[in-house]
Amino acid sequence: MRKIQMVDLQTQYQHIKADIDRGIQEVIDSASFVKGRKVAEFQEHLEQYTGAKHVIPVGNGTDALQIALMGLGLKPGDEVITPTFTFIATAEVVALLGLTPVVVDVEWETMNMSLDSVRRAITPRTKAIVPVHLFGQCADMEPLMALAKEHGLYIVEDACQAIGARYTFSDGRTAQAGTMGEIGCTSFFPSKNLGCYGDGGAIFTNDDDLAARMRAIANHGMVVRYHHDMIGVNSRLDSIQAAVLDAKLPHLDEYIAARQAAAEYYDRAFSGNPHLLIPGRLQASTHVFHQYTLRLQGVDRDRVRELLQEAGIPAMIYYPVPLHMQKAYQDPRYREGDFPTAERLAACVLSLPMHTELDEEQLAFITENVLNAVNG
Ligand SMILES: *Cc1c(COP(=O)(O)O)cnc(C)c1O
């Protein structure tokens, strides 16, 4: 049996090696390492894939979020609502820009932002909501978009874990994660569902003016060369990463299908076990399983993790500490106990190996060991 890893990028590379190597070699031959043709090609292919009118490739997903908030022209003191159960980047950029992060609780089943919590958190200073499509499933966007519209708020989707997930509105219309709010952000970090071989990210928008502004911000606020119309940053997707991504994009749908097949295998094995709650699904969204995250109950989660590790099976805790309990984000507005669902999740979640290369033998071994570990 191949070694079990959280993410197996080596095996995935072997299947597409010829295309990847050729793409990288072309970039080296062209010596066009930054803002090269490969970046423009990938941008166009990703616009076709996502249906976003504008894709703006940037240096990473965190920059994508920062440039999005800069593009909206938010000012210090403006409040931005984000879930407390997520990766830190979401709140980090809000704080770095001098905006005020307002954190809200999540749903127990989907682990995504709770609409009721958002509603309660809106104040006259609220300017934007940043839903995170956690673990690869969209937050419930239709009611969230209605709420945002009612209060005149922007939505910036953090789709870093959810590229390719599809949301269906009640009128039957569908849209991809990252293309529903004013702006969507994604990450091409190597372990993400569409990952490059370094750092990378992209911003999505259907708004021409916002697109032009964010494109300039990502390039030192420059519209005409050496004329700087606004304060910007330096955040670019480099050509070698674009070549890797352009070779992988045609495989994204099969990669998603492979993740979903592994998730189904896990679901079948674990459904009905009193100690294991499988990931809750939102009817309106597909799930692209960036992570397969169980909620454990009536067992010692850390002991289960240890037993798995001893069997050679990695398992990770995403995320052990909610934002409002992080040292750097201590805030007199919040204390332990304020967001009970997020805190309960942080104490019981366990993510299993999830990637495109899991075979039946590995899945059988993982599920058998998980069941043994929880059944004692
Ligand atoms: C990965 C991730 C980011 C940041 O992306 P980077 O490319 O690593 O900067 C932001 N938000 C979420 C939810 C993520 O999973």
Side-chain angles (χ1 to χ4, degrees), residues 170-181:
S170 48
D171 64 2
R173 201 167 48 85
T174 71
Q176 276 201 24
T179 66
M180 293 174 271

Side-chain angles (χ1 to χ4, degrees), residues 60-62 65 86-87 89-90 132 158 160-161 187 189 192 200 319:
N60 57 68
T62 308
L65 288 162
T86 179
F87 181 59
T90 327
V132 181
D158 182 339
C160 288
Q161 302 185 357
S187 165
F189 185 77
K192 297 285 159 83
Y319 295 92

Side-chain angles (χ1 to χ4, degrees), residues 1 7 19 43 49 56 60 164 172 174 188 222 230 233 242 244 247 302 318 345 351 367 369 371 375:
M1 189 171 61
V7 182
D19 290 344
Q43 175 189 315
Y49 180 86
I56 303 158
N60 57 68
T174 71
F188 305 125
M222 189 157 79
M230 57 204 107
V233 296
V244 171
D302 297 327
Y318 304 122
L345 285 169
S351 297
T367 50
N369 276 278
L371 290 169
N375 291 335

Side-chain angles (χ1 to χ4, degrees), residues 38-40 42 196 237-247:
K38 275 281 177 221
V39 181
F42 170 64
C196 56
L237 182 72
D238 72 66
S239 306
I240 286 181
Q241 301 310 335
V244 171
L245 291 164
D246 211 35

Side-chain angles (χ1 to χ4, degrees), residues 7-17 19-21 23-24 42 45-46 49 163 188-198 240-256 259 355-357:
V7 182
D8 182 351
L9 296 174
Q10 296 94 332
T11 308
Q12 189 190 63
Y13 168 64
Q14 290 308 320
H15 295 304
I16 50 173
K17 183 176 185 322
D19 290 344
I20 298 267
D21 292 0
I24 292 176
F42 170 64
H45 296 152
L46 193 58
Y49 180 86
I163 194 162
F188 305 125
F189 185 77
S191 62
K192 297 285 159 83
N193 286 23
L194 179 64
C196 56
Y197 292 171
I240 286 181
Q241 301 310 335
V244 171
L245 291 164
D246 211 35
K248 287 176 83 169
L249 182 58
H251 299 281
L252 181 54
D253 285 339
E254 66 195 69
Y255 289 163
I256 290 171
R259 287 172 178 275
H355 53 78
T356 59
E357 313 300 323

Side-chain angles (χ1 to χ4, degrees), residues 319-372:
Y319 295 92
V321 184
L323 296 187
H324 68 282
M325 288 165 64
Q326 295 285 355
K327 192 169 160 196
Y329 291 82
Q330 285 308 308
D331 188 311
R333 289 174 301 162
Y334 305 121
R335 58 181 159 282
E336 196 173 337
D338 281 354
F339 304 99
T341 306
E343 290 170 31
R344 210 171 134 209
L345 285 169
C348 78
V349 286
L350 191 65
S351 297
L352 298 182
M354 174 49 77
H355 53 78
T356 59
E357 313 300 323
L358 285 163
D359 61 31
E360 292 253 338
E361 189 187 14
Q362 293 175 313
L363 288 165
F365 185 77
I366 296 166
T367 50
E368 188 189 318
N369 276 278
V370 171
L371 290 169
N372 285 343

